[in-house]
Amino acid sequence: MELNKLNPHNYSPSSSSSSSTPHPKAAGDPMQSWWESVSKARARILSLSSILPSDPPSSFSLSSLADSERPALSFLSSFDAYELLSSALSCPSSGSGSDPLCQWLYNTYLSSDPHLRLIVLSFLPLLLGLYLSRIHSSDSASAPSLAGFEAVLLAIYSSEAKSRGGKQVLIQIPDLSQPSLYHTPRNKQNPHGFDDSRPSLAVLAPPLEPQIAVKSTKRPVIVGVALDCYFKQISQMPSWSKVELCKYASAWAGQDCACSDKLDGDKEVEIRNGNETNGGYFLEGRSLSNGSDDNGHGVDDVVKEMEKLSVEKIGTEDSRQKGVRIPLPWEILQPLLRIIGHCLLGPLNSQDVKDAASMAVRRLYARGSHDLAPQAILATRSLILLDKRAREAAKATAVTAVNASSDGNTPSKAKKPEMLLVSK
């Protein structure tokens, strides 16, 4: 369905997104622009009061978020706000052309405030998960219209296409014949007499064509561009949004199978070094049973923290899958793997984000193995090996910390004074 036919009254820049509260400062004053930005953000957030359920959680208040110094960032970091909008966006009737929440997301992304755009991008994993799952479900023929979801995706796509200016995205490939990345050949002549000193360039993304509808042939490109926009701002995305995307990626890959654990090797070689007897753990020759070691020092907390690093534990607590299995062309898989790679290896990510990404990349590896997709196999295999090394390093650090703590608290016997024999 074309964008200009998606109910023009709903999907047009709203007056609230362009209006601002007048400020007594003179025109051109920096304080005036700041006040206008805050007023726009407050107006957008308060406009949700007529869309969201009338009985929000007692700890949540739209007015308190809107009255903060940075309303958009306060809304972005509020888990209650995310949960409330997620429940409204996940209802069976959502996503239609007359959905007021999709209209709000559409108009909010068209605003010039970058912080308001971050709010829309934080809901992109949920929006894509619902949209792709409904499109590729078995009863998609009887599903309601998803023009609202498509309007938001087209808004993100059109904005990115405009920013690229019809140019392709290029990347520089280093010369692997050189000793390192810092060696640059000078006046290197090839056999044909041409200068090869220029760096090799490769096309990462072709130019984006204008789109006014989400056609089935253009859907992978539009979804991939939306995921790429999410990746560009992923450092500012809340952790629950990243976990949402990783869970949907696991579901998109399909049912889990033994291939997902193929690269993990012997699962008995875990944080416990492969030894477990009578409910006790062995840690480099030291028994950790009943929460204490040989010297009586408590280690329950340490063992629990170390068990979190075990790949075997990933996904066991929350095994509920979101979404359905969908086609994963390279246009979608490439930006998806970039996002998962950040979630997997980002040093500031929480353990929940890393665990969700670890499960997602293993299922995507199994999917690539079944589909015989070389690009998917190579990319996911590399991420799995990097994840294993990171977890092994964290385990070794934890083991060292336990050993140092135990050795430091071990009571030592008093030494006898040394007797020196002196000849007279």
Side-chain angles (χ1 to χ4, degrees), residues 229-247:
C229 293
Y230 183 89
F231 173 73
K232 291 179 180 179
Q233 304 294 338
I234 194 170
S235 61
Q236 303 185 64
M237 292 294 105
S239 59
W240 45 83
S241 178
K242 300 176 186 179
V243 171
E244 190 98 53
L245 181 60
C246 293
K247 288 184 177 180

Side-chain angles (χ1 to χ4, degrees), residues 50-374:
S50 60
I51 301 175
L52 297 178
S54 57
D55 53 346
S58 57
S59 59
F60 176 74
S61 174
L62 277 175
S63 59
S64 62
L65 296 177
D67 292 338
S68 62
E69 295 182 357
R70 296 182 177 182
L73 294 181
S74 298
F75 189 95
L76 181 67
S77 59
S78 174
F79 180 73
D80 291 333
Y82 183 86
E83 282 286 299
L84 197 59
L85 263 71
S86 297
S87 60
L89 200 62
S90 303
C91 67
S93 60
S94 63
S96 62
S98 59
D99 187 356
L101 189 52
C102 289
Q103 174 190 351
W104 186 87
L105 293 172
Y106 177 87
N107 290 326
T108 302
Y109 196 81
L110 293 182
S111 65
S112 58
D113 191 344
H115 294 159
L116 287 175
R117 288 190 168 196
L118 292 178
I119 295 177
V120 180
L121 290 177
S122 67
F123 288 96
L124 184 63
L126 177 61
L127 190 147
L128 281 178
L130 296 172
Y131 173 71
L132 295 177
S133 299
R134 294 179 186 179
I135 284 290
H136 296 287
S137 61
S138 57
D139 56 347
S140 59
S142 60
S145 172
L146 301 177
F149 288 157
E150 293 178 348
V152 179
L153 293 178
L154 283 174
I156 300 175
Y157 176 88
S158 301
S159 177
E160 180 65 15
K162 183 179 179 180
S163 65
R164 293 187 186 182
K167 299 180 180 180
Q168 56 189 2
V169 180
L170 302 177
I171 58 173
Q172 180 176 334
I173 300 178
D175 188 358
L176 300 181
S177 64
Q178 299 301 316
S180 71
L181 299 176
Y182 304 99
H183 287 75
T184 303
R186 295 182 179 179
N187 300 327
K188 179 182 178 182
Q189 299 289 334
N190 60 17
H192 301 285
F194 296 103
D195 185 8
D196 287 345
S197 60
R198 293 176 298 176
S200 178
L201 299 178
V203 178
L204 181 63
L208 297 179
E209 301 176 355
Q211 302 292 336
I212 60 174
V214 184
K215 300 179 181 179
S216 59
T217 55
K218 300 297 182 181
R219 185 180 296 121
V221 177
I222 295 174
V223 172
V225 169
L227 289 172
D228 187 63
C229 293
Y230 183 89
F231 173 73
K232 291 179 180 179
Q233 304 294 338
I234 194 170
S235 61
Q236 303 185 64
M237 292 294 105
S239 59
W240 45 83
S241 178
K242 300 176 186 179
V243 171
E244 190 98 53
L245 181 60
C246 293
K247 288 184 177 180
Y248 272 114
S250 299
W252 294 341
Q255 187 176 3
D256 194 14
C257 66
C259 297
S260 61
D261 302 326
K262 183 178 180 181
L263 298 180
D264 288 332
D266 188 5
K267 280 194 171 184
E268 294 299 323
V269 184
E270 291 291 343
I271 191 63
R272 294 158 292 188
N273 295 334
N275 299 316
E276 181 175 355
T277 307
N278 298 328
Y281 298 97
F282 286 85
L283 186 58
E284 293 190 354
R286 182 173 293 128
S287 174
L288 307 180
S289 178
N290 299 325
S292 61
D293 60 7
D294 293 337
N295 298 318
H297 305 294
V299 293
D300 282 341
D301 295 337
V302 178
V303 171
K304 290 179 181 179
E305 291 296 326
M306 293 168 62
E307 284 182 346
K308 292 180 181 179
L309 301 174
S310 173
V311 177
E312 186 181 7
K313 301 291 182 180
I314 295 175
T316 57
E317 295 182 359
D318 187 7
S319 58
R320 296 174 298 174
Q321 279 197 7
K322 297 184 176 183
V324 297
R325 187 181 189 273
I326 65 170
L328 289 175
W330 187 243
E331 292 85 355
I332 296 178
L333 190 59
Q334 184 185 35
L336 183 62
L337 289 178
R338 290 184 201 156
I339 297 172
I340 294 177
H342 170 87
C343 297
L344 199 64
L345 304 173
L348 300 181
N349 290 328
S350 64
Q351 192 63 38
D352 293 339
V353 174
K354 294 181 180 180
D355 289 348
S358 184
M359 182 174 63
V361 73
R362 282 165 172 77
R363 294 196 174 181
L364 289 172
Y365 171 77
R367 171 69 178 272
S369 300
H370 286 289
D371 294 347
L372 299 179

